[in-house]
Amino acid sequence: ATIAVDGALSNNYIVTLGGNRTLGNPTNLRDGAYYNVWVKQDGTGSRTLAYASKYKHPGGTAPVLTTTAGALDILTYQYNAALDICALVAIKAFA
């Protein structure tokens, strides 16, 4: 399944992964705006998250989420309209 993010609705989102998912290319973004996606593992854990093409990562390597059941990670990205990319970083393993 693909997780849809609509920048016109909010800058903050939360999702609980109930299976392996893809973070889809967001829509209706504002140039320079920051967006947060709080990602929680369900009670099973070990869920993975893939990233659509607009997401770019430091060093070109997409972050791997914390896989512990109930784990909470935050994905933060800033949209650059000129490049049409979302520069994404992960803050992982909130306890």
Side-chain angles (χ1 to χ4, degrees):
T2 299
I3 300 167
V5 175
D6 183 342
L9 300 177
S10 181
N11 286 55
N12 297 292
Y13 301 85
I14 186 163
V15 62
T16 299
L17 299 180
N20 298 333
R21 303 286 187 253
T22 297
L23 186 60
N25 282 325
T27 58
N28 301 311
L29 300 176
R30 293 181 324 275
D31 187 33
Y34 286 89
Y35 299 86
N36 300 298
V37 181
W38 295 64
V39 182
K40 185 173 181 175
Q41 293 282 347
D42 66 5
T44 300
S46 298
R47 309 300 188 178
T48 62
L49 185 66
Y51 304 88
S53 61
K54 285 188 183 186
Y55 296 102
K56 304 302 177 193
H57 315 282
T61 302
V64 175
L65 298 178
T66 307
T67 58
T68 309
L72 179 64
D73 297 333
I74 300 174
L75 305 175
T76 298
Y77 62 89
Q78 183 179 27
Y79 180 62
N80 181 308
L83 299 174
D84 195 27
I85 65 168
C86 299
L88 183 145
V89 294
I91 308 166
K92 302 188 328 179
F94 280 84

